[in-house]
Amino acid sequence: MTRLFFFTALLFFFFPTQGQELTDSQREQIDQIARWNVRDGGPGLAVGIVRAGEIIYEYYGGLEDIKSKTSIDVETVFNIASNAKQFTACLVLELIQSGQLQLNDDIRKTLPEILPNYPQPITVQQLLKHSSGIRDVYDLWDVQGIVWWKTRGLNNEVALALLAQQQSPQFEPGTAFSYSNSNYLLLAEIVARITGKPFASHAGERLKAWGLNQSFYLADHNRDIPNLAKPYFDFGKWYYYRWRSHLYADGALFTTLRDQLQWEMKLQTELDQLELLLASQQRLPSPVDDHYGYGVEFDTYRGLPRIRHEGSTSAWQASFMRFPAQDVAIVVMSNSGAVYPNGVAQRIANQLLADDLMEEKPFPTGPESVQSEFTDEQLLGTYTLENGYYFRIRQDGSQWLLERPNRDAIVIEREEGDLFQEVADPAFKQSFTLNEDGQQTVTAYYPTHNPFTLTKLADFPADFQAQQWAGKYRNLDTGVTVQLVDRGQNTFALKFQGEKRQKRDGVLLSPTIMNAQGYGLEFSEADGRKQFALSNNRIRGLQFVRVE
């Protein structure tokens, strides 16, 4: 059967029910949302909706292969990246149902090489819910100077070896939430060791048993994949992203839109048969965070409870969202770096569920009240978020300047009291206040996003000497050394030596806090030795001790 004939037959089979389920107005509005993301001669997307156990909408647009001009259609295969986690979780839950594994099992029962001397238990459930404290292996590779997606030879075994080098978790397991792909790589290894089969092989069997006949975890990037939606970035012209990773289970699930819609239909209709699998979308009690279940996230969208997840492996992107009370699921998959699937799904939900959604509230554009508590001198200084992002407020003559990482300084002016605004764009406002702990803060307002608040760091003492932090530091978890070279005016060059060399620029924001192009460093001294803890979005407190 040719692809064209097969596609046409499927359209004939499914689309009659769509006319009964969607109004003409809804269909046209959703078509417009999908078509808006497709450019002539470029990559595109596949969009589907399931309601009450039936497929009520499908859309395929754009090219799966620009060179051959092959169109995306019902047989096109996408990489749905981190959306794979729900399926990895289900494979773990099957082992729990069969009695081969327990949620509260210490993972060292199966993986004795992981933190063997750490005294606290690290449980299977903590891996599933990203509360294990095990750092993200991709960010550990980043510290080593390794770009994972273009480095040959990286696979699950290499990842496991690096995780086995870790000296301690980044926080006590079960006490915090930190999204880490390492958790799902470790779960895959647990499944493999218990079943006695390679994870991808066992998963392939189970996916087919669930009716997902075109879905598989890709353990070898050299495998030829028929009908693959090749990923493309838009750099003025479409650039094909060549993927070299052999990593899977945290992502790398290759699948079709029809398979994903089949899965959503099962979740809506086969409650008895899939009771265990539905545990993957249950909100379970947690002492630290209940927004993440087993491979899915929970939130509320415009008043409606929602289950969702996003996945992104460079130009491959995917999103699903479920509205359980409305019995609706929306799935979007794309091979275009210019498409934001979660935004597409959200706009579709706005049309499909318009009668149920609460009215969107605009973002606050300023504080409810304006205070006048600070002198000009008190306002000056550096304010930060936990991830190291900062505002630096300084004066240049009579001008007030606001500096941010990797951006030009902007001129701000006092609007009234302790409320400032950008001169060139008055909608960008900065409100200075004290928080509940008596710390000085600045809150940034803009009409297109929620306000965010930064906390002021300690000022530099008059006799501060930045060169005290210069020297060579080493981290045992990664085998990386970093040479900090003082360049004057509280700036440093950071020279990393690990698997590969890399260099970053660092600037001290306070006597003990440094921002180094996406890395945050916090300096301290213990037992007479200088040290710093390195953090970014997905790793916290990676400890480096000075060796020279």
Side-chain angles (χ1 to χ4, degrees), residues 67-103:
K67 186 176 180 179
S68 68
K69 294 184 169 43
T70 307
S71 295
I72 291 171
D73 64 22
V74 72
E75 292 188 13
T76 299
V77 174
F78 294 85
N79 178 2
I80 61 170
S82 285
N83 286 357
K85 288 182 171 67
Q86 62 178 316
F87 299 100
T88 300
C90 286
L91 293 166
V92 173
L93 293 170
E94 280 199 324
L95 296 181
I96 291 170
Q97 185 184 45
S98 67
Q100 299 176 77
L101 189 65
Q102 299 295 325
L103 277 174

Side-chain angles (χ1 to χ4, degrees), residues 257-480:
L257 176 64
R258 182 57 54 76
D259 265 15
Q260 292 305 296
L261 298 181
Q262 176 75 15
W263 178 250
E264 298 300 334
M265 286 192 291
K266 282 181 174 293
L267 292 178
Q268 289 182 0
T269 61
E270 299 184 24
L271 298 182
D272 294 334
Q273 297 90 328
L274 292 175
E275 182 178 355
L276 172 72
L277 304 184
L278 284 168
S280 69
Q281 57 177 318
Q282 288 177 4
R283 184 193 294 261
L284 298 179
S286 169
V288 292
D289 198 318
D290 68 351
H291 88 277
Y292 200 97
Y294 297 157
V296 295
E297 298 180 68
F298 303 92
D299 64 9
T300 300
Y301 178 64
R302 295 181 60 185
L304 299 183
R306 178 174 65 171
I307 300 166
R308 59 180 292 272
H309 211 287
E310 293 179 64
S312 176
T313 297
S314 200
W316 274 311
Q317 300 180 84
S319 176
F320 71 82
M321 55 182 65
R322 302 169 186 146
F323 294 89
Q326 288 70 37
D327 223 5
V328 165
I330 302 166
V331 179
V332 182
M333 305 190 294
S334 175
N335 64 334
S336 168
V339 173
Y340 178 42
N342 189 66
V344 174
Q346 205 155 274
R347 289 194 293 275
I348 290 172
N350 290 343
Q351 297 298 331
L352 189 63
L353 305 175
D355 293 339
D356 298 314
L357 292 166
M358 293 175 60
E359 184 178 351
E360 288 188 277
K361 294 182 179 179
F363 296 116
T365 57
E368 293 182 0
S369 62
V370 176
Q371 302 175 1
S372 299
E373 295 187 1
F374 303 113
T375 66
D376 286 1
E377 187 65 27
Q378 288 174 316
L379 295 176
L380 302 176
T382 301
Y383 302 74
T384 67
L385 298 174
E386 287 187 359
N387 64 8
Y389 183 80
Y390 67 88
F391 284 1
R392 175 173 283 151
I393 310 296
R394 64 182 179 88
Q395 285 183 308
D396 182 9
S398 61
Q399 283 189 328
W400 288 79
L401 299 179
L402 188 158
E403 297 176 348
R404 294 166 289 179
N406 305 315
R407 301 180 70 173
D408 293 334
I410 62 171
V411 180
I412 60 175
E413 63 183 0
R414 193 185 301 270
E415 183 176 335
E416 61 171 311
D418 294 331
L419 178 65
F420 283 66
Q421 63 186 12
E422 182 181 356
V423 171
D425 184 3
F428 178 33
K429 300 185 185 298
Q430 309 86 38
S431 174
F432 295 86
T433 59
L434 292 176
N435 64 20
E436 294 178 352
D437 298 323
Q439 297 170 302
Q440 195 170 323
T441 66
V442 59
T443 299
Y445 295 89
Y446 201 71
T448 60
H449 60 69
N450 269 316
F452 59 93
T453 299
L454 305 90
T455 304
K456 189 177 183 182
L457 296 175
D459 293 326
F460 290 96
D463 60 350
F464 176 72
Q465 299 293 320
Q467 65 264 29
Q468 67 178 296
W469 302 124
K472 181 179 285 187
Y473 296 75
R474 182 166 180 79
N475 170 253
L476 296 177
D477 301 73
T478 58
V480 170

Side-chain angles (χ1 to χ4, degrees), residues 175-304:
T175 64
F177 172 88
S178 181
Y179 189 95
S180 172
N181 289 288
S182 300
N183 292 319
Y184 279 73
L185 294 171
L186 292 172
L187 287 168
E189 185 63 18
I190 290 173
V191 171
R193 294 189 188 184
I194 290 177
T195 62
K197 299 178 183 179
F199 176 84
S201 175
H202 172 72
E205 295 173 5
R206 300 309 304 144
L207 288 168
K208 285 183 172 54
W210 299 335
L212 308 182
N213 295 311
Q214 305 302 318
S215 301
F216 57 90
Y217 288 91
L218 186 66
D220 179 1
H221 84 274
N222 294 309
R223 172 178 170 180
D224 181 53
I225 304 175
N227 311 323
L228 176 67
K230 292 182 177 180
Y232 296 92
F233 284 114
D234 180 13
F235 296 141
K237 65 177 183 178
W238 293 111
Y239 173 78
Y240 172 43
Y241 157 63
R242 298 185 182 278
W243 191 50
R244 295 188 174 94
S245 172
H246 299 287
L247 295 150
Y248 60 94
D250 61 322
L253 183 73
F254 285 73
T255 185
T256 63
L257 176 64
R258 182 57 54 76
D259 265 15
Q260 292 305 296
L261 298 181
Q262 176 75 15
W263 178 250
E264 298 300 334
M265 286 192 291
K266 282 181 174 293
L267 292 178
Q268 289 182 0
T269 61
E270 299 184 24
L271 298 182
D272 294 334
Q273 297 90 328
L274 292 175
E275 182 178 355
L276 172 72
L277 304 184
L278 284 168
S280 69
Q281 57 177 318
Q282 288 177 4
R283 184 193 294 261
L284 298 179
S286 169
V288 292
D289 198 318
D290 68 351
H291 88 277
Y292 200 97
Y294 297 157
V296 295
E297 298 180 68
F298 303 92
D299 64 9
T300 300
Y301 178 64
R302 295 181 60 185
L304 299 183

Side-chain angles (χ1 to χ4, degrees), residues 530-545:
K530 298 285 196 299
Q531 58 189 20
F532 67 80
L534 182 150
S535 302
N536 69 4
N537 285 334
R538 289 185 178 172
I539 57 176
R540 307 180 194 176
L542 195 62
Q543 200 69 29
F544 286 76
V545 177

